[in-house]
């Protein structure tokens, strides 16, 4: 039997049997002096919440033997200065520090696998300033993305970062994983939206990048912290792009006979510079799972949704050009009704009662991204690795392509096993083997280890292979230089 890629399974001496480690009195008093008595939490219910995220493994363990590690305390700083003081105190006492936002990741990136202190940023939720001339917003990282978007909308603006977890995730969390939203094909990933970052380093020093993301004054060091998952510091302020709310939004929908025609049509839309805001292409199983069951889509095939938004004359011209491309396929024009239905219910698949999290099934998303010349091979290899490799377990694979670029596209695949082994070790081993098989199939065929969900604990052991051992040493060198005691979110990113 292979070993699960879960650090507390590999190192049981690090586990406290599910109980939180004790916070000594003197340390608690010192923390309360920094953040206030109500800013230090050690209640068991809060420790339980900090022990899980959306990762199937954490929920499976929590409802079983509960071998999950817990922090000694959760602290809620309200300012950069309080974060600095907490970090310096933890460093003085050798306490691991785990930054946490909404806790809605699916890879164990905010779990306290070595105990220590969780630094929860949700008190740091202020919008500091909106600059209507330069179109930027300066904001603290603990704000829920939903609240930020609503505040901007009230002023006639949008950040255009609308991920599925918008209701439950913070802006800082998206910075930590370099997340993508449903409008990424036009507006990009989090890294494309950031002008400036302020970060408290593991030493307690404060780094602040230049207030522009286009310069030739040495390397843009803010990029070190985007996607670093809190292993190199805690983000305490973000300067991000914003946009005017669109004058017009329009959708077009097609039902295509196969995957190849859809990928080629999407490639042409992006290569022609048509700038679609939404591009979502579903394979046959995902079409059935999401569109047919939830939106009463009729017909067989692969569903393709394209949306444009902006100034009305531009939107009309872009949509006309895109229609020309799709009319050159063997697809069926479905009009725009399904597009508007999807837009109004676009989050329903990711929350109860429709999300797989509500079912007693084994599941994971193994998103990847690849150039157009490789993407069909990546899809086929991942599908075969799951469905053929684990046919005896009835493993299912379905996917959609929801983040498109002029050079390639991302696959958002889900694997599912409904008949989970009763033996817990067998179940953990099966999950690990399916996950590794799917990810390795992507890597072996030109895909990336992950596109927008992050690495955390779940994929950490595979990151050296994805980088290459020699290249991965650079990340280790940077980590060692900034965090020689390995206190900042230890055990993540394969470090």
């Amino acid at each position: 039997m292979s070993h699960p890629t879960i650090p507390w399974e590999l190192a049981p001496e690090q586990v406290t049997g599910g109980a939180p480690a004790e916070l000594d009195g003197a340390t608690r008093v010192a923390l309360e002096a920094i953040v206030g008595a109500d800013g230090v939490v050690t209640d068991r219910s809060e420790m339980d919440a900090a022990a899980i995220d959306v990762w199937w493994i954490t929920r499976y363990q929590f409802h079983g033997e509960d071998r999950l590690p817990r922090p000694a305390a959760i602290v809620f700083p309200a300012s950069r200065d309080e974060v600095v003081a907490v970090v310096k105190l933890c460093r003085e006492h050798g306490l691991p520090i785990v930054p946490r936002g909404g806790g809605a990741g699916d890879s164990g990136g905010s779990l306290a696998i070595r105990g220590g202190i969780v630094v929860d940023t949700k008190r740091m939720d202020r919008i500091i300033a909106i600059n209507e001339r330069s179109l930027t917003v300066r904001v603290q990282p603990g704000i829920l993305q939903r609240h930020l978007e609503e505040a901007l909308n009230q002023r006639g603006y949008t950040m255009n970062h609308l991920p599925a977890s918008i209701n439950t995730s913070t802006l800082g969390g998206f910075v930590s994983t370099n997340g993508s939203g449903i409008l990424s094909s036009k507006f990009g990933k989090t890294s494309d939206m950031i002008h400036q970052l302020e970060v408290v380093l593991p030493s307690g020093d404060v780094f602040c990048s230049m207030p522009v993301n286009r310069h030739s004054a040495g390397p843009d060091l803010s990029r070190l912290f985007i996607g670093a998952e809190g292993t190199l510091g805690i983000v305490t302020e973000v300067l991000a792009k914003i946009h005017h709310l669109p004058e017009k939004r329009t959708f077009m929908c097609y039902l295509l006979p196969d995957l190849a025609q859809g990928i080629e049509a999407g490639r042409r839309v992006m290569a022609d510079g048509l700038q679609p805001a939404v591009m979502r292409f579903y394979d046959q199983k995902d079409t059935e799972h999401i569109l047919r069951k939830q939106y009463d889509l009729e017909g067989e095939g692969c569903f393709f949704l394209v949306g444009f938004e902006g100034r009305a004359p531009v939107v009309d011209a872009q949509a006309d050009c895109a229609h020309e491309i799709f009319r050159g396929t063997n697809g069926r024009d479905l009009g725009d009704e399904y597009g508007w239905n999807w837009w109004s219910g676009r989050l329903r698949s990711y929350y109860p009662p429709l999300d797989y999290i509500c079912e007693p099934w084994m599941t994971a998303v193994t998103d990847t991204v690849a150039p157009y010349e490789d993407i069909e091979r990546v899809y086929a290899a991942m599908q075969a690795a799951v469905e053929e490799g684990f046919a005896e377990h009835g493993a299912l694979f379905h996917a959609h392509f929801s983040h498109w670029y002029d050079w390639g596209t991302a696959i958002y695949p889900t694997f599912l096993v409904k008949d989970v082994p009763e033996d817990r070790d067998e179940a953990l081993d099966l999950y690990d083997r399916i996950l590794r098989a799917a990810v390795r199939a992507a890597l072996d065929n030109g895909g990336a280890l992950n596109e927008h969900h992050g690495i955390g604990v779940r994929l950490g052991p595979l990151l050296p292979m994805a980088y290459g051992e020699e290249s991965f040493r650079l990340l280790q060198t940077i980590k060692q230089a900034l965090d020689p005691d390995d206190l900042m979110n230890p055990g993540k990113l394969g470090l």
Side-chain angles (χ1 to χ4, degrees), residues 4 6 9 56-57 60-61 67 362 423-433:
I6 311 163
E9 294 291 311
W56 180 83
I57 288 289
Y60 181 76
Q61 290 279 56
R67 293 178 283 183
M362 177 186 297
D423 182 87
R424 300 190 67 80
D425 287 333
E426 287 184 21
L428 292 171
D429 179 67
L430 176 61
Y431 176 94
D432 181 61
R433 288 191 292 120

Side-chain angles (χ1 to χ4, degrees), residues 59-393:
R59 289 178 284 113
Y60 181 76
Q61 290 279 56
F62 183 80
H63 292 293
E65 297 176 16
D66 193 5
R67 293 178 283 183
L68 295 169
R70 287 164 170 79
I74 305 172
V75 300
F76 294 85
S79 68
R80 177 198 65 194
D81 291 344
E82 289 184 2
V83 173
V84 168
V86 169
V87 168
K88 287 184 175 180
L89 179 68
C90 288
R91 184 174 183 184
E92 177 184 348
H93 292 275
L95 291 171
I97 306 161
V98 183
R100 189 176 176 94
D106 71 351
S107 301
S110 60
L111 305 185
I113 63 174
R114 297 183 191 170
I117 304 299
V118 166
V119 177
D120 193 305
T121 62
K122 283 192 288 292
R123 275 187 176 175
M124 301 177 66
D125 62 353
R126 280 196 310 120
I127 295 176
I128 299 167
I130 295 175
N131 189 309
E132 296 182 286
R133 187 166 179 83
S134 297
L135 291 179
T136 58
V137 60
R138 188 175 295 278
V139 64
Q140 291 182 308
I143 190 169
L144 288 176
Q145 190 66 24
R146 166 68 73 184
H147 295 163
L148 174 56
E149 186 65 18
E150 289 174 344
L152 291 172
N153 291 172
Q154 291 172 5
R155 297 277 293 271
Y157 299 106
T158 173
M159 191 172 159
N160 279 326
H161 184 59
L162 309 178
S165 62
I166 188 171
N167 295 323
T168 54
S169 294
T170 63
L171 177 59
F174 294 123
V175 172
S176 75
T177 59
N178 196 16
S180 294
I182 62 174
L183 305 182
S184 64
S185 296
K186 180 173 183 178
F187 299 104
K189 295 169 66 70
T190 305
S191 55
D192 299 303
M193 303 176 177
I194 303 301
H195 284 294
Q196 184 181 40
L197 287 180
E198 177 186 84
V199 184
V200 175
L201 302 176
S203 63
D205 296 331
V206 178
F207 163 81
C208 191
S209 63
M210 296 182 189
V212 294
N213 63 3
R214 299 286 190 273
H215 63 76
S216 187
D220 182 357
L221 295 177
S222 65
R223 301 286 164 156
L224 270 179
F225 305 98
I226 299 174
E229 300 186 23
T231 60
L232 303 179
I234 301 175
V235 174
T236 51
E237 192 171 290
V238 180
L239 182 65
K241 292 181 183 180
I242 59 176
H243 306 265
H244 293 285
L245 286 171
E247 180 180 77
K248 180 175 183 178
R249 177 176 289 125
T250 188
F251 294 104
M252 47 187 285
C253 305
Y254 281 82
L255 193 62
L256 301 172
D258 56 55
L259 203 73
Q261 288 194 55
I263 291 175
E264 176 58 17
R267 185 197 70 79
R268 288 191 57 195
V269 169
M270 296 304 297
D272 285 359
L274 299 185
Q275 295 184 317
V278 177
M279 286 263 286
R280 300 182 73 85
F281 179 48
Y282 299 78
D283 72 2
Q284 290 183 339
K285 288 183 180 177
D286 225 19
T287 296
E288 180 176 353
H289 167 67
I290 297 177
L291 281 306
R292 187 168 295 116
K293 291 181 180 179
Q294 297 179 26
Y295 297 94
D296 298 321
L297 178 68
E298 296 181 357
E300 300 293 329
C302 302
F303 181 77
F304 208 136
L305 163 68
V306 184
F308 296 94
E309 64 177 53
R311 294 292 301 274
V314 177
V315 167
D316 291 340
Q318 290 170 326
D320 287 344
C321 292
H323 273 299
E324 286 186 20
I325 291 172
F326 279 90
R327 279 194 290 265
T329 70
N330 295 325
R332 176 159 61 95
D333 188 346
L334 301 176
D336 65 354
E337 181 181 354
Y338 290 114
W340 286 110
N341 288 343
W342 171 84
W343 179 258
S344 64
R346 60 191 179 275
L347 300 181
R348 70 171 66 176
S349 299
Y350 302 96
Y351 292 92
L354 298 177
D355 186 38
Y356 283 161
I357 196 173
C358 301
E359 303 289 352
W361 301 334
M362 177 186 297
T363 186
V365 172
T366 54
D367 52 306
T368 185
V369 61
Y372 287 116
E373 66 265 24
D374 297 325
I375 197 68
E376 290 182 59
R377 188 171 67 253
V378 170
Y379 172 91
M382 294 182 79
Q383 182 185 49
V386 172
E387 294 192 337
E388 296 176 18
F390 298 90
E392 72 273 22
H393 298 283

Side-chain angles (χ1 to χ4, degrees), residues 15-88:
V15 183
T16 57
E22 293 292 329
L23 182 69
D24 69 77
T27 303
R28 181 173 191 128
V29 168
L31 288 170
E32 289 180 347
I34 298 170
V35 300
D38 61 345
V40 180
V41 175
T42 56
D43 295 347
R44 176 60 188 255
S45 61
E46 298 291 342
M47 299 299 103
D48 287 349
I52 62 175
D53 61 4
V54 185
W55 186 20
W56 180 83
I57 288 289
T58 62
R59 289 178 284 113
Y60 181 76
Q61 290 279 56
F62 183 80
H63 292 293
E65 297 176 16
D66 193 5
R67 293 178 283 183
L68 295 169
R70 287 164 170 79
I74 305 172
V75 300
F76 294 85
S79 68
R80 177 198 65 194
D81 291 344
E82 289 184 2
V83 173
V84 168
V86 169
V87 168
K88 287 184 175 180

